[in-house]
Amino acid sequence: MQEKKYLKWYNMVGYGSGDIAGNVVYAFLSSFVMIYLTNTVGLNPGVVGTLIAASKFFDGATDVFFGTMIDKTKSKLGKARPWMLYAYIGCAVTLVAIFAVPVDMGKTSQYIWFFIAYTLLNAVFYTANNIAYSALTALVTKNSKERVQMGSYRFIFAFSTSLLIQSITVGAVAAFGGGASGWRTVAILYAAIGLIVNTISVLSVKELSQEELNKSEFGLEQKDKAEEKYGLVEAVKLLASNRFYLMICGVYILQQIYSAMINMGIYYMTYVLKNENLYGVFSWAVNIPLIVALVFTPTLVAKWKGMYHLNLRGYMLGTLGRALVIVAGYLGSVPLMLFFTGLAALGQGPWQGDMNAVIASCSEYTYLTKKKRVDGTMYSCTSLGVKLGGGLGTAIAGWLLAASGFDGSVLVQSESCINMLYFMYLWVPMGISLIITWILSKMNVEETNEKLKEQQGK
């Protein structure tokens, strides 16, 4: 039976554009907050890393809270859209606050300013906005193909925005006078763009009524609803008993640490390659192959009859690419570094494109083994892993910089700092990629599910 269609192409494009707003915040923050704080404000990277790590304790507690609040919301805009719309106002204000730390403040006051603004942005406003944005996928359509298309548009906008932010920010800050005022002006500009695009995204779709969402062509909705009731403690136990879920969480956390180290490339370009503008060039080498891989991932999944072989072979290629980046780095060849960086990103791309489908298979494994549906909690906890990994990665980067004797007030860093930058930008990403490849070699959840279905006579 052909599924009912709910969306036009412009609805899906409008929805996907919401990740422009999301990445105006996320890409700007993850790529530039550390170098802004160390080189412009003059804060210690180790202390900043510790504050970011501490902030994640608050961040971790709010995912389930906002998910529950969204589920309970009733308004003319629906459940999720009000949270997505109004929470972004807070995102815009706190993003500007982070990049507007008063330079004439005492150091303690500056640390407090940053910690409060960073925590409010991540733990409150960005969490509420992002969970609501993700939830819209299930609230505006019941058509599985439309949901996949929504996700594809979203990721394309996400990678494209990250590419643009990483490419133009350094030049934009300089164009607006550099220093603290330059960073503040760019933050205001990005926040304004985010507000406009987020509002357009909210208004481009309409949530289905509760009656439409509950409607079933087979009349089984009440039975399913009863079967799927579970408490939070039981849900956590179900997740902990799912080995594939634990693998996915591990991969997500490692990927975020990997990204944090790659984002520290701004230091590598500035102090090793002596050209901070190369950071934008390297962002092209990362994001363009990711977008290309995303476009071809559905075809490759079909060709290789599943996600397992594609993801594993892709990450094997990605690990080889990162190993060759190390060789090129010590040779001092920027063109070779760019080429092998692109090769690594191309290999890692398929996992970015099909990870939501892998999570769905992981959720199916729980249902096949425990007869319980934990789809929403599965996605919520995985997003929690992403944010914890991102915070931990940035914190580790700050601690390593501090341990190396980094000094943001000097133009030439010490030999110990230069060696640390080589370690952070070249060796750590390769090591993480190798570990992820090993985990993915164990993550054949599709085949496991098929065997369970055969055993159960399905």
Side-chain angles (χ1 to χ4, degrees):
M1 182 180 295
Q2 188 173 4
E3 292 184 279
K4 177 181 177 181
K5 293 183 178 180
Y6 294 86
L7 304 174
K8 302 292 186 181
W9 67 267
Y10 49 81
N11 299 125
M12 291 184 279
V13 172
Y15 168 81
S17 70
D19 240 335
I20 295 176
N23 276 277
V24 160
V25 172
Y26 186 80
F28 183 41
L29 193 66
S30 61
S31 297
F32 298 105
V33 68
M34 184 66 78
I35 199 164
Y36 158 72
L37 292 173
T38 58
N39 289 27
T40 300
V41 184
L43 300 185
N44 182 285
V47 177
V48 172
T50 300
L51 292 176
I52 290 174
S55 175
K56 293 303 170 181
F57 286 104
F58 297 96
D59 200 354
T62 55
D63 280 83
V64 176
F65 171 76
F66 282 114
T68 302
M69 293 299 294
I70 290 169
D71 285 337
K72 294 180 179 180
T73 297
K74 294 181 179 179
S75 74
K76 292 182 179 179
L77 285 175
K79 292 177 176 292
R81 290 200 300 162
W83 290 93
M84 181 180 170
L85 179 64
Y86 298 120
Y88 201 89
I89 298 174
C91 287
V93 172
T94 50
L95 180 68
V96 173
I98 288 173
F99 287 90
V101 178
V103 294
D104 55 351
M105 265 186 170
K107 291 301 178 188
T108 300
S109 298
Q110 289 176 330
Y111 285 124
I112 293 173
W113 177 294
F114 166 71
F115 180 76
I116 292 174
Y118 184 87
T119 301
L120 285 174
L121 173 59
N122 282 277
V124 180
F125 300 117
Y126 184 79
T127 296
N129 172 268
N130 195 252
I131 290 179
Y133 180 51
S134 299
L136 277 179
T137 305
L139 294 174
V140 301
T141 179
K142 294 164 64 177
N143 186 300
S144 59
K145 292 182 179 179
E146 288 180 342
R147 288 175 176 175
V148 171
Q149 289 175 303
M150 290 172 70
S152 295
Y153 282 119
R154 175 181 180 178
F155 282 118
I156 289 172
F157 276 115
F159 290 137
S160 300
T161 304
S162 294
L163 171 61
L164 187 62
I165 294 292
Q166 292 166 357
S167 298
I168 70 172
T169 296
V170 172
V173 170
F176 285 113
S181 63
W183 284 105
R184 183 173 60 250
T185 302
V186 169
I188 292 171
L189 179 62
Y190 286 166
I193 292 172
L195 273 171
I196 294 170
V197 177
N198 183 76
T199 303
I200 291 172
S201 182
V202 169
L203 298 178
S204 67
V205 293
K206 183 179 181 181
E207 294 182 35
L208 301 177
S209 67
Q210 197 61 49
E211 291 74 17
E212 177 67 20
L213 289 171
N214 290 339
K215 188 185 298 180
S216 170
E217 297 178 10
F218 306 101
L220 298 176
E221 64 274 15
Q222 293 301 322
K223 179 181 178 181
D224 289 344
K225 187 176 180 180
E227 287 178 350
E228 293 176 12
K229 286 184 177 180
Y230 55 84
L232 180 60
V233 174
E234 183 183 0
V236 171
K237 290 180 179 179
L238 288 169
L239 295 176
S241 66
N242 186 327
R243 68 181 186 275
F244 297 111
Y245 168 78
L246 298 177
M247 291 179 194
I248 290 174
C249 281
V251 170
Y252 267 79
I253 291 171
L254 287 169
Q255 280 183 312
Q256 294 304 307
I257 297 174
Y258 175 98
S259 296
M261 293 302 161
I262 295 299
N263 287 335
M264 290 303 105
I266 184 68
Y267 288 93
Y268 187 88
M269 310 308 160
T270 301
Y271 297 109
V272 177
L273 299 181
K274 308 297 185 182
N275 184 356
E276 63 181 9
N277 293 315
L278 281 174
Y279 181 70
V281 179
F282 273 84
S283 71
W284 280 78
V286 172
N287 287 287
I288 293 299
L290 283 174
I291 294 171
V292 171
L294 180 63
V295 171
F296 288 101
T297 292
T299 302
L300 292 174
V301 169
K303 181 178 180 179
W304 285 347
K305 299 179 180 179
M307 298 173 285
Y308 170 73
H309 293 293
L310 176 59
N311 292 334
L312 178 57
R313 292 169 184 172
Y315 248 91
M316 290 173 65
L317 177 63
T319 302
L320 174 63
R322 288 310 308 182
L324 292 173
V325 170
I326 294 175
V327 176
Y330 281 100
L331 288 175
S333 173
V334 172
L336 283 178
M337 288 184 70
L338 286 167
F339 177 78
F340 292 130
T341 295
L343 182 68
L346 187 67
Q348 295 164 0
W351 168 256
Q352 300 289 339
D354 65 26
M355 58 186 174
N356 282 339
V358 175
I359 297 171
S361 294
C362 182
S363 183
E364 184 181 15
Y365 174 79
T366 293
Y367 178 73
L368 291 170
T369 55
K370 304 295 183 180
K371 303 303 177 187
K372 292 287 185 179
R373 291 284 184 188
V374 290
D375 305 84
T377 309
M378 182 82 66
Y379 279 92
S380 176
C381 288
T382 304
S383 71
L384 173 62
V386 171
K387 291 190 294 181
L388 287 176
L392 181 61
T394 305
I396 291 172
W399 294 330
L400 291 176
L401 282 174
S404 73
F406 173 81
D407 184 350
S409 65
V410 300
L411 295 177
V412 180
Q413 298 297 328
S414 65
E415 183 178 354
S416 63
C417 180
I418 296 300
N419 289 334
M420 180 62 77
L421 292 176
Y422 272 95
F423 175 72
M424 290 169 62
Y425 189 69
L426 300 181
W427 290 96
V428 174
M430 191 279 291
I432 292 174
S433 184
L434 185 62
I435 296 171
I436 292 176
T437 301
W438 178 78
I439 296 174
L440 291 178
S441 72
K442 308 292 183 182
M443 201 188 295
N444 197 348
V445 61
E446 297 164 281
E447 182 178 321
T448 302
N449 286 348
E450 288 303 317
K451 289 180 178 178
L452 287 170
K453 291 175 181 178
E454 290 177 4
Q455 293 172 4
Q456 297 171 14
K458 294 185 178 181

